[in-house]
């Protein structure tokens, strides 16, 4: 199957294409001075990836990392996937950005228990315990460093220490090290999502309709929190 | 040659299909959720846009009796507006266009409000003077050709619709406040309270609505909660009359400064009955044709974006793949 995969939930814009499991295109556009270039880079790179597969007509499946990550990034990715699918009739599949990250971590380190972490800003991370092949073992969560260390020690008791990586691990590397949890230095490729992981996860995912293509925000809008807390408008 | 147009700059998810100046379908999905927040919350709006974009596009195609195969171009609002909301529409539009190698036509939202007047039935030909008043914008546009407009005057603070929404909230009405305030005002005496006539001595064509809002704050404070509730209809009527008065005063002044062969309105506030009647009367006094587009084409919609797209240079595939939205920026488009 010819698969085109992409993800814009992290600050990187990540696109890849694979043909029968063989990678034929892989591209990453990092943020520019901290500003993600999702809107400018995503479809341009997706067009190149489609060309590498022989054109849009040849694409058999579109896979999108649906989050968690930045809200605007998630929406650019999911809206793009939904638009491509609606217009072309190509099957679309949404996968968890954390699961794709976990798959990459597992491949790079050989670990069979991994904890992918995506920087959730506001002093928090998105995370979810996975096996080494990108299959979640627990629920996705969002939390600060203290709770994260607790969760990792809980995970500890249930099995071997997971390998911790991703932008969230870089963000809280000091806190993790203090708790005795090793992570690779910031520049290591283990922390970055690879487009081929999106393709690989999506290629084997259950075929789903566009109605199941849902963004994975993991957080409600602030305004809703305030409304629920105050019981009135802010 | 059907054109698909998408508009998501604020809280309405809109798609339309046009054949030249003829609107084949015009679907507007209003997000009722904002009422409980008392205003448009960008993150909430953006989430709704993502849920609604494809269903609204598919409804517009189906209403038009068309499919993706029939499309010859995709138009989309590129700005100004809420950036997160705009990005949903733009990403959707680019992704619909790309695999079919269709051209993309990015449209300035404000040009859309003016271009609603170019639509069938009875399209208005430039030149004309157009007053655009909405929750986000208030300005007088000199429309000399189809391709753009010149701003003759604009609000220096709040937009007219923004002022109305705030007044509606002070009077305990829901959001959006325009229709509710108009309904309440119908039972009130516009002369019961004195509102300042803002900018009347200013010789220019700019607007200001923050003084009106402040005046209402003081009146409500003096009346107290019970008093405000009791006199709400009079307050609504007075406030509405002051807004309409300022808009028509500036329109009159613009007509005094330069002869215009016709007058048109645009924006959500242009759906206001008293404003329409006041402008109609002003035009009747001067024997000027007044182009009254339907209310549905005044408030945010995608048909007006498709209308503006007809007079905008399309971008061929693949040149638009890197095209980005803008929250604020160029206006008039020339
Ligand atoms: Zn508008």
């Amino acid at each position: 199957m010819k698969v085109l995969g992409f993800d814009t939930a992290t600050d990187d814009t990540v696109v890849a294409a694979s043909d029968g499991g063989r990678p034929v295109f892989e591209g990453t556009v990092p943020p520019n001075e901290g500003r993600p270039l999702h809107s400018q880079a995503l479809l341009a790179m997706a067009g190149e990836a489609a060309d590498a597969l022989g054109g849009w007509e040849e694409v058999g499946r579109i896979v999108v990392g649906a989050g968690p990550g930045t809200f605007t990034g998630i929406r650019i990715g999911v809206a793009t996937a939904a638009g491509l699918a609606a217009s072309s009739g190509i099957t679309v599949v949404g996968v968890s950005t954390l699961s794709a990250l976990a798959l990459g971590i597992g491949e790079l380190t050989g670990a069979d228990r991994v904890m992918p972490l995506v920087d959730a800003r506001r002093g928090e991370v998105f995370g979810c315990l996975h096996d080494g092949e990108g299959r979640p073992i627990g629920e996705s969560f969002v939390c600060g460093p203290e709770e994260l260390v607790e969760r990792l020690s809980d995970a500890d008791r249930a099995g071997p220490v997971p390998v911790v990586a991703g932008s969230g691990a870089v963000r809280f590397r000091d806190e993790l090290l203090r708790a005795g949890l090793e992570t690779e230095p910031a520049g290591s490729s283990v922390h970055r999502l690879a487009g081929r992981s999106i393709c690989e996860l999506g290629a084997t995912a259950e075929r789903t309709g566009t109605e199941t293509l849902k963004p994975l925000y993991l957080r409600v809008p602030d305004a809703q929190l305030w409304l629920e807390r105050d019981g009135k408008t802010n | 040659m059907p054109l698909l147009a998408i508009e998501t700059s604020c809280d309405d998810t809109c798609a339309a299909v046009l054949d030249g100046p003829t609107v084949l379908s015009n679907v507007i999905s209003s997000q009722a959720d904002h009422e409980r927040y008392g205003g448009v919350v960008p993150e909430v709006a953006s989430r709704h846009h993502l849920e609604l974009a494809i269903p609204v596009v598919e409804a517009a195609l189906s209403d038009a009796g068309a499919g993706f195969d029939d499309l010859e171009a995709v138009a989309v609002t590129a700005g100004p507006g809420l950036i997160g909301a705009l990005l949903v529409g733009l990403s959707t539009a680019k992704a619909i266009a790309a695999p079919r190698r269709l051209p993309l036509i990015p449209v300035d939202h404000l040009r859309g409000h003016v271009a609603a007047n170019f639509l069938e039935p009875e399209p208005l030909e430039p030149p004309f003077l157009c007053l655009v008043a909405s929750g986000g914008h208030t300005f007088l546009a000199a429309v000399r050709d189809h391709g753009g407009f010149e701003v003759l005057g604009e609000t220096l603070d709040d937009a007219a619709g923004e002022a109305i929404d705030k007044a509606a909230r002070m009077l305990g009405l829901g959001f959006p406040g325009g229709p509710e305030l108009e309904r309440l005002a119908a039972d009130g005496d516009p002369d019961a309270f004195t509102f300042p006539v803002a900018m009347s001595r200013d010789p220019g064509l700019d607007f200001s609505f923050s003084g009106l809002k402040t005046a209402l704050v003081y009146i409500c404070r003096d009346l107290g909660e019970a008093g405000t509730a009791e006199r709400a209809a009079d307050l609504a009527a007075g406030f509405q009359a002051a807004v309409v008065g300022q808009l028509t005063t500036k329109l009159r002044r613009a007509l005094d400064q330069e002869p215009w062969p016709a007058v048109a309105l645009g924006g959500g506030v242009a759906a206001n009955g008293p404003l329409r009647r006041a402008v109609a009367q002003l035009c009747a006094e001067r024997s000027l044709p007044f182009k009254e587009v339907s209310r549905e084409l005044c408030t945010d919609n995608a048909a007006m974006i498709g209308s503006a797209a007809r007079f905008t240079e399309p971008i061929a595939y693949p040149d638009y793949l890197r095209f980005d939205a803008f929250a604020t920026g160029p206006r008039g488009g020339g």
Side-chain angles (χ1 to χ4, degrees):
Chain A
M1 182 168 42
K2 294 186 177 186
V3 180
L4 195 164
F6 49 80
D7 186 290
T8 47
T10 72
D11 284 355
D12 288 337
T13 305
V14 169
V15 178
S18 67
D19 187 350
R22 185 176 52 91
V24 295
F25 178 91
E26 183 138 30
T28 297
V29 174
N32 179 22
E33 291 174 4
R35 210 176 79 86
L37 298 176
H38 300 143
S39 174
Q40 293 158 51
L42 174 58
L43 199 57
M45 253 200 303
E48 288 176 49
D51 288 344
L53 292 171
W56 288 107
E57 296 75 12
E58 293 290 313
V59 179
R61 177 175 286 201
I62 292 165
V63 188
V64 58
T70 63
F71 296 158
T72 298
I74 290 170
R75 279 190 286 270
I76 289 171
V78 172
T80 299
L84 289 169
S87 172
S88 65
I90 301 170
T91 302
V92 63
V93 172
V95 298
S96 156
T97 298
L98 288 170
S99 297
L101 187 57
L103 179 62
I105 299 167
E107 278 173 2
L108 280 172
T109 64
D112 55 9
R113 279 165 68 80
V114 301
M115 178 70 90
L117 296 173
V118 168
D119 187 354
R121 311 255 157 81
R122 306 175 176 193
E124 293 187 320
V125 295
F126 298 117
C128 181
L129 188 64
H130 280 73
D131 70 12
E133 280 150 40
R135 281 186 292 260
I137 302 175
E139 293 290 309
S140 298
F141 57 83
V142 55
C143 70
E146 283 171 23
E147 192 186 327
L148 174 65
V149 167
E150 262 172 51
R151 281 176 178 273
L152 284 164
S153 19
D154 283 353
D156 223 0
R157 280 193 288 276
V161 182
V163 171
V164 182
S167 59
V170 173
R171 170 77 179 76
F172 292 114
R173 188 157 182 263
D174 292 346
E175 287 83 346
L176 291 167
L177 288 174
R178 270 201 297 278
L181 292 153
E182 293 285 335
T183 61
E184 293 284 317
S188 167
S189 59
V190 75
H191 296 302
R192 297 187 95 158
L193 179 66
R196 62 175 181 280
S197 305
I198 298 281
C199 287
E200 202 177 323
L201 264 191
T204 54
E206 275 299 300
R207 191 192 161 96
T208 51
T210 42
E211 70 279 1
T212 59
L213 179 61
K214 291 268 185 281
L216 305 170
Y217 294 118
L218 284 195
R219 267 183 184 150
V220 299
D222 289 343
Q224 191 180 324
L225 282 182
W226 297 330
L227 198 67
E228 282 159 7
R229 193 183 56 202
D230 304 344
K232 59 182 168 63
T233 55
N234 54 69
Chain B
M1 38 170 188
L3 166 94
L4 171 68
I6 297 173
E7 146 68 37
T8 62
S9 68
C10 192
D11 60 333
D12 294 328
T13 315
C14 315
V17 178
L18 285 82
D19 186 1
T22 306
V23 182
L24 300 180
S25 67
N26 191 20
V27 177
I28 302 166
S29 180
S30 296
Q31 302 177 4
D33 205 23
H34 296 285
E35 190 172 342
R36 62 197 194 106
Y37 297 109
V40 177
V41 180
E43 177 59 24
V44 174
S46 302
R47 289 188 183 199
H48 280 294
H49 284 310
L50 183 61
E51 276 172 36
L52 295 168
I54 295 296
V56 164
V57 164
E58 285 175 342
L61 285 169
S62 138
D63 286 3
F68 286 105
D69 285 343
D70 301 312
L71 297 178
E72 298 209 336
V74 180
V76 63
T77 307
L82 304 171
I83 190 69
L86 288 164
L87 282 169
V88 174
L90 182 66
S91 301
T92 303
K94 281 161 66 176
I96 287 172
R100 298 177 169 273
R101 294 175 178 79
L102 295 175
L104 184 86
I105 312 175
V107 172
D108 179 303
H109 179 84
L110 302 177
R111 278 193 53 203
H113 277 303
V114 171
N117 292 288
F118 305 151
L119 291 166
E120 291 281 1
E122 296 166 39
L124 182 63
E125 291 295 314
F128 59 86
L129 181 65
C130 186
L131 169 68
V132 176
S134 71
H137 309 279
T138 301
F139 60 94
L140 269 168
V143 185
R144 298 185 215 279
D145 56 54
H146 288 103
F149 60 81
E150 180 198 343
V151 175
L152 300 178
E154 63 191 321
T155 183
L156 303 175
D157 39 57
D158 292 350
E162 188 183 357
I164 288 172
D165 283 341
K166 285 174 180 169
R169 200 185 320 185
M170 279 187 253
L171 299 177
L173 303 173
F175 176 89
E180 293 211 32
L181 188 105
E182 185 179 341
R183 226 171 287 131
L184 182 63
D187 300 324
D189 172 8
D191 298 319
F193 293 94
T194 311
F195 283 91
V197 186
M199 310 293 286
S200 62
R201 278 193 297 275
D202 182 289
L205 297 173
D206 288 334
F207 303 88
S208 168
F209 295 97
S210 66
L212 271 183
K213 185 186 66 191
T214 311
L216 182 61
V217 169
Y218 286 130
I219 297 173
C220 290
R221 190 174 297 169
D222 291 347
L223 287 172
E225 209 168 306
T228 299
E230 196 181 309
R231 306 292 304 275
D234 289 344
L235 290 168
F239 190 87
Q240 177 178 259
V243 171
V244 169
Q246 189 186 151
L247 291 171
T248 45
T249 299
K250 293 304 165 105
L251 191 59
R252 182 188 305 273
R253 190 171 293 164
L255 290 170
D256 288 342
Q257 286 178 6
E258 192 179 339
W260 288 94
V263 170
L265 294 177
V269 178
N272 179 274
L275 176 64
R276 282 174 175 243
R277 285 193 288 278
V279 174
Q281 194 192 331
L282 174 63
C283 291
E285 280 167 20
R286 294 169 184 237
S287 309
L288 281 177
F290 169 41
K291 163 78 178 172
E292 224 176 325
V293 298
S294 68
R295 281 161 198 255
E296 190 180 80
L297 291 174
C298 286
T299 51
D300 288 351
N301 67 89
M304 71 182 198
I305 301 303
S307 179
R310 294 181 58 225
F311 306 99
T312 307
E313 196 62 44
I315 309 177
Y317 180 91
D319 298 347
Y320 55 80
L321 297 181
R322 289 179 194 284
F323 190 87
D324 207 354
F326 61 92
T328 56
R331 197 181 36 196

